[in-house]
């Protein structure tokens, strides 16, 4: 009852307004609804673009850097094995190339990793210890012979490489969680924008119906009076 009375009163007030004012107010309401819908859509697209950019820069690029560090660490191990077999003096070129590549990817991880900074610092420290162990194996080969170097390689250096892999695996898991959270946030934002647009569309339809009925009701009475007047004049 209260709703019906409120609607009736609203139509009563609306019917006292001029037709020009009704049409103008309805047009303004529709334009406002379209503007709000556009703003909501632009905001939704902007949020989606931001989430996509964050997913690429911090998750995808971070994973690429971690995989590069692990790949160059493996190449470093192979370079050490080749150096033990070759027995030449000095640091092998493959060893130096692997070190350069490993630190380049480590810098990429430092810039793009989305997790805690403690993880990056632990990886840098672990990689440094691994590199020092690999260089120590080569020095041992030159100073004490291949047998002592192979023994050191089988014990210390391999253990350091396993530690590098363990830290990288943990950081990969962290990045995977970050990527999953970003995807969920993007999906939630999309659903929220769709819901707002649907509500706005429904409100726009209701407002258009209300304005149309009000405008027709306002024109029916003057047209009826005009018809009656014309009928009397014709008689």
């Amino acid at each position: 009852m209260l709703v019906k009375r409120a609607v009736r009163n609203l139509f009563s007030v609306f019917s006292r307004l001029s037709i020009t004012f009704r049409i103008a107010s309805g047009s303004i309401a529709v334009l406002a609804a379209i503007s709000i819908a556009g703003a909501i859509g632009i905001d939704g697209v902007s949020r989606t673009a931001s989430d996509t950019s964050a997913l690429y820069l911090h998750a995808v690029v971070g994973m690429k850097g971690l995989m590069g560090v692990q790949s160059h660490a493996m190449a470093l191990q192979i370079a050490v094995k080749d150096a033990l077999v070759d027995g030449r003096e000095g640091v092998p070129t493959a060893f130096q190339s692997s070190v350069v590549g490993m630190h380049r990817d480590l810098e990429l991880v430092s810039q793009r990793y989305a997790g805690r900074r403690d993880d990056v610092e632990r990886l840098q420290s672990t990689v440094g210890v691994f590199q020092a162990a690999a260089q120590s194996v080569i020095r041992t080969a030159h100073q004490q012979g291949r047998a002592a170097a192979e023994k050191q390689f089988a014990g210390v250096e391999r253990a350091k490489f396993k530690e590098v892999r363990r830290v990288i695996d943990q950081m990969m898991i962290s990045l995977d969680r970050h990527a999953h959270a970003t995807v969920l946030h993007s999906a939630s934002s999309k659903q929220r924008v769709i819901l707002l647009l649907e509500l706005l569309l429904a409100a726009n339809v209701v407002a258009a119906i209300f304005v149309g009925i009000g405008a027709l009701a306002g024109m029916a009475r003057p047209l009826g009076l005009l018809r009656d007047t014309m009928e009397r004049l014709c008689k």
Side-chain angles (χ1 to χ4, degrees):
M1 293 297 294
L2 293 177
V3 175
K4 290 183 178 180
R5 185 178 301 173
V7 173
R8 191 178 303 164
N9 292 336
L10 188 60
F11 270 106
S12 177
V13 172
F14 194 72
S15 63
R16 298 192 189 100
L17 302 175
S18 65
I19 295 177
T20 303
F21 182 83
R22 298 175 196 177
I23 295 176
S25 62
S27 300
I28 291 173
V30 171
L31 289 175
I34 293 174
S35 300
I36 294 173
I40 293 175
I42 291 173
D43 180 69
V45 171
S46 177
R47 289 177 181 272
T48 302
S50 178
D51 289 339
T52 303
S53 177
L55 183 63
Y56 173 74
L57 291 177
H58 299 292
V60 176
V61 177
M63 286 184 180
K64 178 183 177 183
L66 288 172
M67 292 174 65
V69 171
Q70 181 168 315
S71 175
H72 285 106
M74 293 176 65
L76 191 65
Q77 268 201 324
I78 295 173
V80 171
K81 290 181 181 179
D82 292 342
L84 294 181
V85 173
D86 193 10
R88 294 182 182 178
E89 293 289 335
V91 179
T93 303
F95 184 95
Q96 296 175 339
S97 177
S98 299
V99 169
V100 171
M102 187 167 59
H103 283 279
R104 182 179 62 247
D105 288 326
L106 194 59
E107 180 64 23
L108 181 62
V109 173
S110 178
Q111 294 175 357
R112 300 299 187 185
Y113 181 67
R116 300 179 306 171
R117 299 309 302 174
D118 293 345
D119 295 339
V120 177
E121 293 174 0
R122 185 167 69 253
L123 178 62
Q124 290 173 336
S125 176
T126 305
V127 167
V129 172
F130 167 69
Q131 179 183 338
Q135 291 172 333
S136 177
V137 170
I138 294 179
R139 283 196 303 269
T140 302
H142 295 157
Q143 296 171 1
Q144 302 178 23
R146 178 178 173 180
E150 288 180 345
K151 182 178 180 180
Q152 182 180 358
F153 177 82
V156 179
E157 201 270 344
R158 284 184 178 177
K160 300 304 179 184
F161 176 71
K162 289 181 180 179
E163 180 65 17
V164 171
R165 289 188 59 181
R166 186 184 67 82
V167 173
I168 289 176
D169 289 343
Q170 291 176 349
M171 294 176 72
M172 283 285 195
I173 293 173
S174 177
L175 282 181
D176 183 67
R177 290 174 180 171
H178 173 77
H180 183 65
T182 302
V183 171
L184 289 180
H185 180 267
S186 180
S188 176
S189 297
K190 183 189 74 173
Q191 292 298 327
R192 185 167 58 251
V193 169
I194 291 174
L195 178 61
L196 289 174
L197 290 177
E198 289 176 347
L199 293 175
L200 191 60
L201 178 61
N204 196 14
V205 171
V206 172
I209 293 174
F210 180 78
V211 172
I213 293 175
L216 291 175
M219 289 187 292
R221 187 175 180 182
L223 289 175
L225 292 175
L226 179 61
R227 182 195 60 194
D228 295 340
T229 302
M230 294 300 294
E231 287 179 352
R232 285 196 298 270
L233 290 175
C234 290
K235 292 179 181 178

